[in-house]
Amino acid sequence: MKKELNYLLGCILLLLSIPAQAQKEKVIGFWEVENVAVGEENMTPVAKWFKINQDGTYQTGNGWLQNGEGQWDYDSKTNKYAAQDDLDVGDEFGAFDVSFTGEKMIFEREEEGMHVKVMLVPIEKLPMSPTDYLEGFWDLVEITENGQSILSEFDGEGKHKLFIRWDRIYNNFTSEGKRMSGYWHINGHRPEITLLPHQGDKGPESWKIEVSEKELVMTGISDSNRGIQRKYMRLKSF
């Protein structure tokens, strides 16, 4: 009788553990961040992804750039997910509560008195970010100021080019054919680029960007370039 009771209790415990194990298995996969809400604000990063592996490791990045990896743990009793980057400081805000709606996974927790909700969707390959499209050699084909074309005055001989390099350096070929250089920085939450010239007499400029495999449109958002819009086409050779 005692053996039968122990066997029955073992079966019950096994059955109870199945849903928890199944929940943990659902966490494993390749995910892209669809939305991040911090309080009432949208703080969704650009092309953010997580690869959560069966062996307890994970990788994370933005677009084609991996910028983190480490270990993860899932508490089946509390449905909480915690991760630690191998090269980063500890996460002071603790584990996320995990839930699912359809194929989507939801992480939630409190950070500095605000509710944080992260919505993730399953993916099969790395998402592309504006940064991934930006790198390359671009030819200016149109420039407008307050909606009016100024291409003939700005670049009548068609010499203006923009070379955006992978190492965060850019070369700007002026309408006179002079090569200028500087650093470029992409905003992590918005499609915006800031150009920081190496030349001391030039100030930084920020632009809103729309970019694809073939086309780049830059709209000025700094005081020095507001009202200016530049349209480039990708070149395949210098």
Side-chain angles (χ1 to χ4, degrees):
M1 184 66 181
K2 185 176 180 180
K3 289 183 179 180
E4 293 177 352
L5 182 59
N6 288 337
Y7 175 75
L8 181 59
L9 288 173
C11 290
I12 292 173
L13 290 173
L14 178 61
L15 290 172
L16 289 174
S17 69
I18 290 175
Q21 183 62 29
Q23 185 91 331
K24 181 177 180 179
E25 291 296 322
K26 289 177 69 175
V27 171
I28 296 167
F30 199 6
W31 303 92
E32 181 178 4
V33 175
E34 181 182 62
N35 186 73
V36 176
V38 180
E40 299 297 323
E41 293 191 42
N42 185 317
M43 298 292 290
T44 306
V46 175
K48 185 66 178 178
W49 55 267
F50 293 90
K51 189 175 182 183
I52 302 174
N53 306 309
Q54 182 81 44
D55 64 359
T57 64
Y58 78 92
Q59 293 83 38
T60 184
N62 293 77
W64 289 352
L65 174 67
Q66 179 179 318
N67 48 37
E69 65 178 354
Q71 321 300 316
W72 68 275
D73 182 65
Y74 181 80
D75 189 327
S76 299
K77 295 180 180 179
T78 60
N79 292 332
K80 286 184 178 293
Y81 172 91
Q84 176 58 51
D85 191 302
D86 290 340
L87 301 178
D88 206 350
V89 297
D91 188 344
E92 61 180 302
F93 299 111
F96 285 94
D97 294 316
V98 181
S99 60
F100 293 87
T101 175
E103 291 187 338
K104 298 182 179 182
M105 180 165 63
I106 303 170
F107 286 171
E108 295 180 90
R109 69 181 182 185
E110 297 295 314
E111 296 182 8
E112 297 181 342
M114 291 183 291
H115 184 71
V116 175
K117 184 176 181 179
V118 183
M119 184 77 72
L120 304 101
V121 295
I123 55 175
E124 294 184 356
K125 61 180 183 179
L126 287 174
M128 287 188 71
S129 72
T131 302
D132 305 315
Y133 284 111
L134 269 173
E135 295 171 12
F137 194 36
W138 300 94
D139 179 36
L140 182 72
V141 295
E142 182 59 280
I143 178 170
T144 61
E145 184 173 9
N146 298 321
Q148 301 297 314
S149 176
I150 57 171
L151 182 62
S152 58
E153 305 98 276
F154 182 80
D155 189 33
E157 297 183 15
K159 293 182 178 180
H160 180 78
K161 305 289 188 293
L162 181 62
F163 181 34
I164 300 180
R165 295 167 24 179
W166 68 270
D167 58 359
R168 292 300 194 272
I169 299 292
Y170 73 88
N171 296 127
N172 185 13
F173 298 85
T174 70
S175 55
E176 294 81 24
K178 184 179 180 180
R179 186 174 71 173
M180 314 292 281
S181 65
Y183 300 106
W184 63 275
H185 170 75
I186 195 76
N187 190 294
H189 290 86
R190 297 182 300 278
E192 295 175 7
I193 188 173
T194 298
L195 303 180
L196 304 161
H198 288 150
Q199 294 71 38
D201 60 336
K202 303 290 184 181
E205 286 186 340
S206 294
W207 303 77
K208 179 182 177 182
I209 59 171
E210 299 173 67
V211 61
S212 65
E213 292 181 5
K214 297 181 179 180
E215 184 177 287
L216 167 63
V217 177
M218 299 173 56
T219 302
I221 55 176
S222 296
D223 291 340
S224 58
N225 62 8
R226 203 175 306 278
I228 303 291
Q229 186 177 84
R230 297 180 178 184
K231 180 178 179 181
Y232 297 85
M233 299 300 292
R234 189 185 298 276
L235 293 174
K236 294 296 185 179
S237 61
F238 288 94

